[in-house]
Amino acid sequence: MRGISSGSRVVFVQNGDFRAEAQRIESGAGETYHSQKYSMQVMDRLATQTSLAAVLCIDAVDPHDEILPTGVRCIGLENIWSHKRPFAPVIAVLEKLAPTHLVLRVPSVEVLSWARARHVRTLPSFADSF
């Protein structure tokens, strides 16, 4: 993982509930999409190689902020869409986390602008299924 050092603070912003999916896979249930377990293992590796590896989920089953046994910090926000500015709660959490690297897996000009203004290295990764 080039460009990532032990002092890096990596945050993923995404849909879904990472904590719930990690618990489901840990219990032996299958993947809900191809290579899901692999992508979760990448987060586990990041947690051992950086000062912060966090997943900020914008539509969690319930609000939470906890560190999984693997070291990945999971933060779940529920129903950001009920806010006048839906990504304001996301940015508030990002301000506290102070990431050096951001993987943005949901389209948000507001979050991209925030990251650019703070010189946070950002990988926009928008995908959809057809």
Side-chain angles (χ1 to χ4, degrees):
M1 290 179 226
R2 204 170 0 152
I4 304 290
S5 67
S6 61
S8 295
R9 301 178 60 79
V10 183
V11 178
F12 284 64
V13 176
Q14 65 183 46
N15 286 303
D17 190 328
F18 188 91
R19 178 188 68 172
E21 289 301 309
Q23 291 168 344
R24 194 179 60 71
I25 287 176
E26 182 67 27
S27 73
E31 299 175 318
T32 57
Y33 62 85
H34 180 69
S35 297
Q36 182 179 26
K37 190 172 182 178
Y38 171 77
S39 67
M40 296 178 105
Q41 289 169 340
V42 169
M43 286 303 302
D44 297 347
R45 282 196 309 274
L46 280 171
T48 65
Q49 299 172 357
T50 62
S51 65
L52 173 70
V55 180
L56 175 53
C57 304
I58 65 169
D59 58 355
V61 174
D62 55 54
H64 57 272
D65 184 350
E66 65 182 76
I67 298 176
L68 298 180
T70 60
V72 175
R73 184 172 177 184
C74 287
I75 301 167
L77 302 176
E78 64 178 354
N79 196 14
I80 67 165
W81 308 113
S82 67
H83 297 271
K84 186 175 182 178
R85 288 182 45 225
F87 284 95
V90 172
I91 289 173
V93 172
L94 290 172
E95 285 285 346
K96 291 176 186 173
L97 295 176
T100 58
H101 297 75
L102 176 67
V103 179
L104 184 60
R105 299 184 68 198
V106 295
S108 171
V109 172
E110 193 173 358
V111 174
L112 281 172
S113 297
W114 175 88
R116 183 175 185 210
R118 284 150 188 81
H119 306 287
V120 176
R121 291 183 172 183
T122 304
L123 172 64
S125 175
F126 312 137
D128 198 353
S129 57
F130 300 93

